[in-house]
Amino acid sequence: MPLRAGFTRFYQDTYNRVLLYAQHRVGNLATAEDISADTYRIAWQKYTEGAEPTLTWVLVIARNVIGNEYRRQAREHARIEHFAALLDLEASDDEAELLSVRLAVAQLSPSERELVYLTYWEDLPASTVAEVLDCMPGTIWVRLSRIRTKLRAALAPAASPHPGDGGVHG
Amino acid sequence: MADLDDLIRRADPYANRRDAPLSARARADLRRILRGQSTDGASSPRQRRPMITLATVAAALCTLVVALIASGVLSPQQGVAYAATPELLEPRPVDIPAHDLLLELAALASTRPEAAPVNIVEYSSWSAQLDVGPDGPTQFIQPQDVRTEWRDDLSGSIVVVAGEAYPARGAHGFHDSAPEPPGTVLSEESFLPGQYPLLFRSEPPTTAAEMRSYLLQASDVTGDEVSAADLYRAIQGLLTQRLPTPAQESSILEVLAEQPDITVAGDVTDRDGRPGIAFRASSTNGQVELEYLLVVSPDGQILSLETIYQGGDSAFALPVPAVLEYTIWRRNES
């Protein structure tokens, strides 16, 4: 059964990326798992209809699932829990530094946070980020440049000197 | 202190899960999906993560919540206010097939005096601010003037300054003090050798066949799946980092000439007042409908590219149609 085998392979290769994508946006693991399940259910249907599965393609599906199913829910508790999840630290040698970064990220606008998640926390190249966000790669770089400037300012007492940092992969 | 990019990456609260094996829930969901069964997670009790693990974090969280409520981020859903967008371009229809017109422009581009590749690019960039704040949308459009430069050792810089603001579509002016003063440096980054985020590492080719592969190398689209939108996206990424030679630009236009889903929108004056011909492409991800206009000068220079929202996602605080973003390239040659 090549169709099922192909989808299974795709699922195994991309599931954690999709789960992380969902969890960065909704915080709660169980909710993120539900979103992932819905995403792959849609992906399987499209795959059987001939769609070519790629990471970008399934992330766009996930983005639509999150938008459709969770946009209208009361977000107050979800947001607070989400921000709490951002602050919930695993064991780390530099907890205070990472906490500062997470707080700074949490205070960005929603679209800026989206860009940080996709670029840094989901580790996607600019071309994929552009495709997921329906915008152009050059726009991504300009936005990221401004976001990094904001984050440097927010982290100023502990940030590295300006010349010499940077270097996001392409 | 580690550099900023590394710091941001390490701040991911779930970074240690990227390479984890598939969970029992994930494996069970896959089985259900392949059998056409419901994937409701009723069999897995929902586990709530601990809210706070550090006493000091609790205090910081309270402070953050208060700050976010005050800033409106956590406020109850407000009425939708449309984001500011510029006037739409108004192409005047031209009755020539896109294939023929693009080949003609490619031929004209190849007649321009050949020049060495340039790794300094200046362009104006604007994108819709979809996060409408508590004070409502702005009444002006303020593009950003970008100058990118990189060297063979992949050191370089990106400087973004505030451009000249102008009234948004439907606005009748704005307070002079509202936008940033033109020329204000909004961000300025320097990259050490090896760190410049170059999308296309090798020199662009000068044949259409090679150029098509070259443009698509940065995306995961292959073969028959390639759309005009994919090519437009790749071209924008390329031209925001490299200024093509006439031969390279000619091959780009030849690639577009062979793309069946490009149509001629018509003669147009771009946002810098330059005459050109707009070529239209469309895309949809199943939710959002987008249209793209690539404007090419009469002598085969790519002048600008813009994205127009055509509907489909109710979360977009935009009327239909509305410009979502644009890039205007500025070159010293004319």
Side-chain angles (χ1 to χ4, degrees):
Chain A
M1 301 192 178
L3 202 64
R4 294 162 66 92
F7 186 80
T8 297
R9 180 60 181 269
F10 174 72
Y11 186 94
Q12 291 169 336
D13 289 346
T14 59
Y15 181 85
N16 280 345
R17 302 291 292 267
V18 171
L19 181 66
L20 276 174
Y21 178 92
Q23 195 166 9
H24 284 141
R25 285 151 186 80
V26 301
N28 181 273
L29 175 60
T31 305
E33 288 174 328
D34 289 345
I35 289 171
S36 300
D38 287 344
T39 297
Y40 282 100
R41 183 173 44 77
I42 295 169
W44 168 241
Q45 180 182 346
K46 292 177 180 291
Y47 182 69
T48 59
E49 293 168 356
E52 188 67 31
T54 65
L55 177 61
T56 305
W57 170 76
V58 73
L59 287 177
V60 170
I61 295 173
R63 187 180 182 218
N64 292 339
V65 169
I66 291 172
N68 287 341
E69 299 193 6
Y70 297 93
R71 184 180 306 136
R72 294 180 183 85
Q73 292 181 8
R75 300 298 298 270
E76 295 301 326
H77 294 297
R79 282 177 177 160
I80 294 173
E81 182 180 315
H82 175 46
F83 287 126
L86 290 180
L87 301 175
D88 181 14
L89 297 172
E90 303 289 342
S92 171
D93 292 338
D94 50 0
E95 292 172 344
E97 189 176 48
L98 298 182
L99 171 62
S100 297
V101 175
R102 292 179 187 179
L103 284 171
V105 170
Q107 293 184 59
L108 295 173
S109 71
S111 59
E112 290 171 334
R113 281 200 303 276
E114 183 73 12
L115 204 45
V116 170
Y117 296 161
L118 289 166
T119 304
Y120 292 100
W121 291 3
E122 285 133 34
D123 208 24
L124 297 173
S127 56
T128 304
V129 173
E131 209 169 335
V132 171
L133 294 181
D134 292 322
C135 66
M136 294 292 166
T139 303
I140 298 297
W141 288 119
V142 173
R143 287 182 181 174
L144 281 173
S145 184
R146 296 199 60 184
I147 288 168
R148 286 193 290 265
T149 298
K150 278 190 182 182
L151 291 176
R152 277 193 204 96
L155 301 170
S160 59
H162 174 207
D165 65 18
V168 177
H169 73 286
Chain B
M1 167 69 66
D3 72 22
L4 182 61
D5 287 334
D6 177 67
L7 198 55
I8 298 170
R9 287 204 173 90
R10 288 193 296 114
D12 176 8
Y14 312 122
N16 62 342
R17 295 178 191 161
R18 287 181 196 170
D19 300 317
L22 288 187
S23 64
R25 167 74 194 265
R27 295 194 300 275
D29 281 342
L30 177 61
R31 288 194 294 272
R32 293 191 195 102
I33 288 169
L34 294 179
R35 293 172 189 165
Q37 297 171 346
S38 168
T39 53
D40 286 346
S43 62
S44 302
R46 297 207 170 181
Q47 298 178 0
R48 301 184 72 79
R49 293 173 57 79
M51 291 284 288
I52 306 293
T53 57
L54 298 172
T56 53
V57 169
L61 174 61
C62 291
T63 303
L64 173 61
V65 167
V66 169
L68 291 173
I69 290 172
S71 68
V73 172
L74 291 184
S75 60
Q77 190 73 24
Q78 300 182 6
V80 172
Y82 286 147
T85 60
E87 298 289 345
L88 297 162
L89 293 181
E90 296 180 347
R92 300 172 291 281
V94 171
D95 188 19
I96 303 175
H99 173 266
D100 296 349
L101 199 43
L102 283 163
L103 284 181
E104 187 178 317
L105 291 169
L108 288 167
S110 68
T111 64
R112 300 204 313 264
E114 197 55 39
V118 178
N119 300 338
I120 299 174
V121 181
E122 295 181 339
Y123 61 94
S124 179
S125 172
W126 174 85
S127 59
Q129 298 301 308
L130 299 177
D131 304 319
V132 179
D135 296 329
T138 63
Q139 296 300 304
F140 60 89
I141 303 296
Q142 184 162 40
Q144 298 161 116
D145 293 334
V146 184
R147 184 179 192 279
T148 76
E149 177 178 0
W150 56 274
R151 293 169 280 278
D152 289 344
D153 64 357
L154 294 186
S155 62
S157 63
I158 299 176
V159 182
V160 182
V161 304
E164 194 75 43
Y166 58 91
R169 181 182 178 192
H172 302 290
F174 54 89
H175 294 299
D176 287 340
S177 60
E180 295 279 357
T184 301
V185 177
L186 302 175
S187 70
E188 184 173 5
E189 292 191 293
S190 297
F191 299 87
L192 293 176
Q195 291 189 342
Y196 189 87
L198 201 59
L199 287 175
F200 297 87
R201 295 274 173 141
S202 60
E203 187 63 26
T206 55
T207 68
E210 291 174 310
M211 179 59 78
R212 192 171 192 272
S213 299
Y214 179 85
L215 289 171
L216 296 175
Q217 67 177 278
S219 71
D220 55 6
V221 181
T222 58
D224 296 335
E225 300 283 327
V226 177
S227 69
D230 294 326
L231 290 172
Y232 279 13
R233 195 176 294 116
I235 290 167
Q236 199 267 4
L238 175 64
L239 266 57
T240 50
Q241 295 188 331
R242 289 176 179 269
L243 201 63
T245 66
Q248 292 167 349
E249 196 152 26
S250 174
S251 68
I252 292 173
L253 296 174
E254 287 180 352
V255 170
L256 296 179
E258 300 307 318
Q259 190 64 29
D261 54 335
I262 293 178
T263 59
V264 179
D267 290 333
V268 73
T269 301
D270 83 345
R271 297 181 188 279
D272 263 11
R274 301 171 295 185
I277 303 141
F279 294 91
R280 178 182 289 120
S282 302
S283 77
T284 177
N285 60 9
Q287 186 116 346
V288 176
E289 306 286 333
L290 298 174
E291 182 178 281
Y292 306 90
L293 289 182
L294 182 78
V295 180
V296 183
S297 71
D299 65 347
Q301 280 194 11
I302 295 173
L303 298 178
S304 64
L305 175 63
E306 54 190 70
T307 305
I308 299 108
Y309 171 64
Q310 293 286 10
D313 186 332
S314 60
F316 271 33
L318 293 170
V320 177
V323 181
L324 199 53
E325 63 174 327
Y326 66 70
T327 305
I328 300 171
W329 286 279
R330 296 179 175 138
R331 313 189 194 190
N332 290 329
E333 55 171 310
S334 289

